[in-house]
Amino acid sequence: MTLRNLIVTAMVLGAGLPVGGAHQVKADDTTVYELRTYMAAPGKMAELQKRFRDHTTQIFEKHGMKSVGYWVSEKQPDVLIYILVHKNREAADKSWKAFRRDPEWLRVFAESQKNGSLTKKVESVYMTPTDFSPLK
């Protein structure tokens, strides 16, 4: 997805309109967005996407993390990018702590690592909307 499409999607979500089955995102003054970027290990992108598709997104939801969207970089097809929305930073920290201790996640993660790590680098950036942002 292009940056333009990402911005349009964010604006639609910010207006409370459903997009392709995405969660309706209603934010308040403390809402925090988290931009995460995963660089897949060589030859592991399909497995990484499968883990997200089949397990990770559902476990996120279980722990209160709402998915805004998932994308693959057009210029770097081994890069998975996604955005989560959290009620606030404290909720984000609490959700991640619970996620990392979740028995289902620990099982899925261990199983997915049997033939080597699926990622070579993971980056996370927390973002708060500006007062003029259509997505708040």
Side-chain angles (χ1 to χ4, degrees):
M1 176 174 273
T2 66
L3 180 58
R4 181 187 176 284
N5 288 343
L6 175 61
I7 292 168
V8 169
T9 300
M11 290 172 65
V12 170
L13 285 169
L17 303 172
V19 177
H23 296 285
Q24 215 170 326
V25 177
K26 293 182 181 176
D28 61 28
D29 290 339
T30 62
T31 298
V32 157
Y33 294 86
E34 184 179 5
L35 174 67
R36 293 185 62 90
T37 306
Y38 284 53
M39 289 73 160
K44 300 289 188 173
M45 183 57 136
E47 290 177 68
L48 179 63
Q49 287 187 31
K50 181 178 182 355
R51 185 174 75 191
F52 270 87
R53 182 183 308 108
D54 296 349
H55 304 285
T56 307
T57 57
Q58 294 89 346
I59 301 170
F60 281 166
E61 186 73 24
K62 177 178 164 182
H63 294 290
M65 294 184 271
K66 303 291 184 200
S67 297
V68 173
Y70 295 81
W71 300 268
V72 174
S73 171
E74 290 182 353
K75 291 184 177 182
Q76 296 174 290
D78 62 337
V79 175
L80 176 68
I81 303 161
Y82 65 98
I83 299 174
L84 298 173
V85 62
H86 306 277
K87 183 177 178 181
N88 54 46
R89 185 57 193 269
E90 182 180 341
D93 293 343
K94 182 178 177 183
S95 292
W96 276 113
K97 185 176 182 180
F99 174 84
R100 289 183 179 111
R101 293 180 175 175
D102 186 291
E104 181 183 1
W105 169 247
L106 293 172
R107 178 189 59 77
V108 166
F109 181 78
E111 180 67 28
S112 71
Q113 303 292 95
K114 283 187 176 178
N115 294 319
S117 179
L118 300 186
T119 59
K120 60 182 180 181
K121 186 176 181 183
V122 177
E123 295 177 347
S124 174
V125 176
Y126 285 97
M127 307 173 293
T128 54
T130 61
D131 62 347
F132 55 88
S133 175
L135 182 61
K136 294 184 182 175

